C-alpha cells in the first residue's frame, strides 16, 4: 500500500518512488522502476537493506528481540503449542481447531514412509559421509520418486508435496543417522507423535522396544518449533530463488539444505558445541574471547551474533532455560553447560560484544540440549533442516501464489575488464 513518496534526484533527473507499508515493521521504498527511470541499479551485497518479497509468515524485530509466526510470539508457541500445530499455522495462516489439527496430524503421519527404493540411495554414500551431505542428495532425489506432486501450478500437488516433505524429512534424517552408525533403518510407526516417531527411528533398534521419553520428546518438539521459520534468511532466500525459476519443490528444498549447511548459518550449532568443548573449562574463556576480538584471527564466537537481532535472540532465551531443565530432568551434569553460561556472562559484559550488539543466538544452547539427548554433533544441522522444512515449504507456497512473483535475477556492479580483443595463444 503506497502512503507517501520518496524523491530521488540524480543530476537533473528527479523521480518519486512509492513508500510501501506492511502491517508492522519498517516501510520499504519501491525501487522496481529505478533502472527504467535512471539506468542505475541499487548496490546491496548481503541484502542488508533489501526486502526481496512480500510475506505474511514471520515477523522479526531485531532491536526488540521479537519473533512472531503469523502474529504469534515464539515464546508462546514454544511453551504452549506443538510442532504439528505450528506447521499447520505456517502453511494455513491460522491455528487449527482440535478436529482440524487431528486431521492434519493424521495426513502428515500417513506420509512418513519413503519409497522403499529410496533406501538403496543411501548405500551409494561413503559410510562416514556427513549426514548433511546425505540429506542434500536424498531430498533432491525425492523429485525422481514423486512425479505426481511436482507440478507447481497445481495447488493440490503443491499441498501434497508440502505434506510429503514435512512428513518424510524425519524418516530421511533418521535414515542418514542410522547409515552413519551402521545400524538398520527403522520404519516409522503411526501411533507415535511426529517427534516421538523421529526419536524412535533415530535411537531405536529392531532388537528391542524403544520407549519414547516424554522429557526428551517435549524438548525436541520445542527445538523443532524454535527452528520452524525465520523470515528471509539465507536458506529460505535460496529456496525462494530456486523456486522462482519454476523448479520442483523437492529440488528447491535440497537447495535450501545446501545453503543451511554453512557454518555462518545452520552449521553454527555444530560449530558452537565443538567450540565449547574445545574451550573445555571456564578458565580458558578469556583466551577465546581475546581471539574473537583479534582482527587478525578469523576465529568468531560461534553461536554469537546475528544479522537481524541486535538485542537478544528470543529463541536463545527459550533454549537457555530449556537447556537447564532438560539436563536437570535427565540428571546430566555437563560441564559444557557451565562453560556456555560463563562464556555468555563474560562476553555480555565485554565492551567489544556490547558495542557490536553481539548476543547468543539460537545455536548457542541448542547444541548442549541435543548432545544431552544423545545426538552426535554432525546431526545438529540435520535437525535444523528437518524443522526448517516447514518454513521453507510455507515460504515456497507463498511465493508461488504471489502474483508479483518473478524469476529472481539480481544485477551487479561490474568491475572486470571492459571489452578487449581475443589474442591467439601463440601471440600471448
Ligand atoms: N564473534 C566475534 N565477532 C563477531 C561475531 C562473533 N560471533 N559476529 C560478528 N562479529 C563482529 C564482526 O567481526 C564485525 O566486526 P567489525 O565491524 O569490526 O568488522 C561485526 O561484529 C559485524 O559482523 P558481520 O559479520 O558484519 O555481521 P553479519 O550480520 O554479516 O553476520 C553472523 C552475522 C551471524 C554471520 C555473524 O554474527 C557470525 O558469523 N556469527 C557466528 C556464527 C553463528 O553463530 N551463526 C548462527 C546465526 S543464527 C542461526 C542461523 O541463522 O542459522
Amino acid at each position: 500500500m503506497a502512503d507517501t513518496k520518496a524523491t530521488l534526484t540524480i543530476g537533473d533527473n528527479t523521480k518519486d518512488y512509492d513508500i510501501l507499508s506492511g502491517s508492522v515493521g519498517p516501510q520499504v521504498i519501491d525501487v522496481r522502476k529505478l533502472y527504467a527511470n535512471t539506468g542505475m541499479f541499487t548496490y546491496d551485497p548481503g541484502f542488508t537493506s533489501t526486502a526481496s518479497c512480500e510475506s505474511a509468515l514471520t515477523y522479526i524485530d531485531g532491536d526488540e528481540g521479537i519473533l512472531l509466526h503469523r502474529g504469534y510470539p515464539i515464546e508462546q508457541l514454544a511453551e504452549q503449542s506443538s510442532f504439528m500445530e505450528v506447521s499447520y499455522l505456517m502453511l494455513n495462516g491460522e491455528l487449527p481447531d482440535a478436529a482440524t489439527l487431528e486431521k492434519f496430524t493424521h495426513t502428515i503421519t500417513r506420509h512418513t514412509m519413503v519409497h522403499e527404493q529410496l533406501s538403496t540411495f543411501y548405500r551409494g554414500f561413503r559410510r562416514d559421509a556427513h549426514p548433511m551431505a546425505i540429506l542434500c542428495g536424498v531430498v533432491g532425489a525425492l523429485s525422481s520418486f514423486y512425479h505426481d506432486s511436482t507440478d507447481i501450478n497445481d495447488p493440490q500437488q503443491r499441498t501434497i508435496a508440502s505434506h510429503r516433505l514435512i512428513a518424510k524429512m524425519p524418516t530421511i534424517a533418521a535414515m542418514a543417522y542410522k547409515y552413519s552408525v551402521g545400524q538398520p533403518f527403522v520404519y516409522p510407526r503411526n501411533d507415535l507423535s511426529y517427534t516421538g516417531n523421529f526419536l524412535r527411528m533415530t535411537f531405536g533398534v529392531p532388537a528391542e522396544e524403544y520407549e519414547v521419553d516424554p522429557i526428551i520428546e517435549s524438548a525436541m518438539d520445542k527445538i523443532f518449533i524454535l527452528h520452524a521459520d525465520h523470515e528471509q534468511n539465507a536458506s529460505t532466500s535460496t529456496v525462494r530463488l530456486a523456486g522462482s525459476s519454476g523448479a520442483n519443490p523437492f529440488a528447491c528444498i535440497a537447495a535450501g539444505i545446501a545453503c543451511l549447511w554453512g557454518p555462518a548459518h545452520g552449521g553454527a550449532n555444530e560449530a558452537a558445541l565443538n567450540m565449547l568443548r574445545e574451550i573445555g573449562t571456564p578458565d580458558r574463556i578469556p583466551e577465546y574471547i581475546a581471539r574473537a576480538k583479534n582482527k587478525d584471527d578469523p576465529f568468531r564466537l560461534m553461536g554469537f551474533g546475528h544479522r537481524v537481532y541486535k538485542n537478544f535472540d528470543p529463541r536463545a532465551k527459550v533454549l537457555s532455560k530449556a537447556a537447564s531443565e532438560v539436563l536437570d530432568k535427565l540428571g546430566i551434569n555437563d560441564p559444557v553447560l557451565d562453560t556456555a553460561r560463563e562464556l555468555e556472562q563474560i562476553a555480555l559484559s565485554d565492551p567489544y560484544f556490547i558495542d557490536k550488539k553481539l548476543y547468543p543466538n539460537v545455536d548457542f544452547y541448542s547444541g548442549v540440549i541435543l548432545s544431552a539427548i544423545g545426538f552426535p554433533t554432525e546431526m545438529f544441522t540435520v535437525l535444523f533442516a528437518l524443522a526448517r522444512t516447514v518454513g521453507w515449504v510455507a515460504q515456497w507456497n507463498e511465493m508461488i501464489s504471489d502474483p508479483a512473483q518473478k524469476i529472481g535475477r539480481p544485477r551487479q556492479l561490474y568491475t572486470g575488464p571492459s571489452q578487449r580483443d581475443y589474442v591467439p595463444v601463440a601471440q600471448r
Side-chain angles (χ1 to χ4, degrees), residues 3 9-10 35 43 52 63 81 99 121 144 148 160 162 196-197 217 220 228 231 237 288 296 331 349 352 372 379:
D3 293 341
T9 303
I10 303 168
Y35 180 59
Y43 179 61
S52 60
D63 294 324
S81 184
F121 259 77
S144 66
D148 57 342
I160 295 172
S162 304
N197 200 12
E217 187 181 14
M220 195 72 240
E231 208 223 56
S237 297
Y288 283 81
D296 300 326
S349 53
Y352 174 92
M379 278 298 285

Side-chain angles (χ1 to χ4, degrees), residues 2-25:
D3 293 341
T4 42
K5 307 267 184 200
T7 306
L8 178 68
T9 303
I10 303 168
D12 50 10
N13 176 346
T14 296
K15 283 274 186 303
D16 286 341
Y17 296 89
D18 286 343
I19 296 181
L20 311 179
S21 301
S23 45
V24 56

Side-chain angles (χ1 to χ4, degrees), residues 286-344:
E287 181 194 323
Y288 283 81
I289 297 268
R291 284 188 62 194
K293 287 156 61 172
N294 181 357
K295 281 257 158 278
D296 300 326
D297 189 333
F299 174 78
R300 286 187 167 200
L301 276 193
M302 298 316 281
F304 255 79
H306 199 274
R307 168 62 61 79
V308 182
Y309 293 118
K310 301 302 172 193
N311 190 325
F312 233 85
D313 178 342
R315 303 167 301 172
K317 272 192 184 162
V318 177
L319 277 178
S320 161
K321 191 163 152 256
S324 302
E325 279 170 13
V326 171
L327 266 63
D328 273 0
K329 283 185 192 161
L330 296 177
I332 295 172
N333 183 12
D334 189 344
V336 163
L337 184 59
D338 301 333
T339 309
R341 295 230 179 278
E342 185 88 17
L343 178 61
E344 180 182 344

Side-chain angles (χ1 to χ4, degrees), residues 406-425:
K406 278 175 181 289
I407 184 168
R409 178 58 171 90
R411 302 305 299 268
Q412 61 178 8
L413 173 65
Y414 177 68
T415 54
S418 47
Q419 185 170 332
R420 50 183 171 166
D421 287 327
Y422 176 81
V423 179
V425 68

Side-chain angles (χ1 to χ4, degrees), residues 203-391:
F203 296 119
V205 287
E208 59 189 42
E209 267 310 304
Y210 176 83
E211 289 264 332
V212 179
D213 180 332
I215 297 169
I216 295 179
E217 187 181 14
S218 143
M220 195 72 240
D221 206 67
K222 196 174 279 188
I223 289 178
F224 286 162
I225 293 172
L226 292 172
H227 287 86
D229 191 47
H230 212 227
E231 208 223 56
Q232 306 310 320
N233 57 81
S235 57
T236 302
S237 297
T238 302
V239 170
R240 279 188 179 254
L241 197 55
S244 75
S245 71
N248 77 68
F250 304 106
C252 296
I253 302 305
I257 293 170
C259 178
L260 186 77
W261 194 0
H265 193 7
N269 51 15
E270 182 175 345
L273 192 76
N274 287 337
M275 177 195 75
L276 290 171
R277 287 199 178 129
E278 191 185 306
I279 297 174
T281 46
D283 58 297
R284 297 191 60 208
I285 291 172
E287 181 194 323
Y288 283 81
I289 297 268
R291 284 188 62 194
K293 287 156 61 172
N294 181 357
K295 281 257 158 278
D296 300 326
D297 189 333
F299 174 78
R300 286 187 167 200
L301 276 193
M302 298 316 281
F304 255 79
H306 199 274
R307 168 62 61 79
V308 182
Y309 293 118
K310 301 302 172 193
N311 190 325
F312 233 85
D313 178 342
R315 303 167 301 172
K317 272 192 184 162
V318 177
L319 277 178
S320 161
K321 191 163 152 256
S324 302
E325 279 170 13
V326 171
L327 266 63
D328 273 0
K329 283 185 192 161
L330 296 177
I332 295 172
N333 183 12
D334 189 344
V336 163
L337 184 59
D338 301 333
T339 309
R341 295 230 179 278
E342 185 88 17
L343 178 61
E344 180 182 344
Q345 283 317 311
I346 294 178
L348 293 184
S349 53
D350 187 301
Y352 174 92
F353 291 88
I354 296 171
D355 293 349
K356 295 189 189 305
K357 300 186 174 172
L358 299 170
Y359 293 88
N361 59 48
V362 68
D363 295 321
F364 193 65
Y365 282 107
S366 63
V368 179
I369 306 182
L370 294 174
S371 154
I373 292 176
F375 288 103
T377 45
E378 306 80 65
M379 278 298 285
F380 292 0
T381 316
V382 170
L383 302 172
F384 192 158
L386 187 169
R388 184 55 59 85
T389 297
V390 168

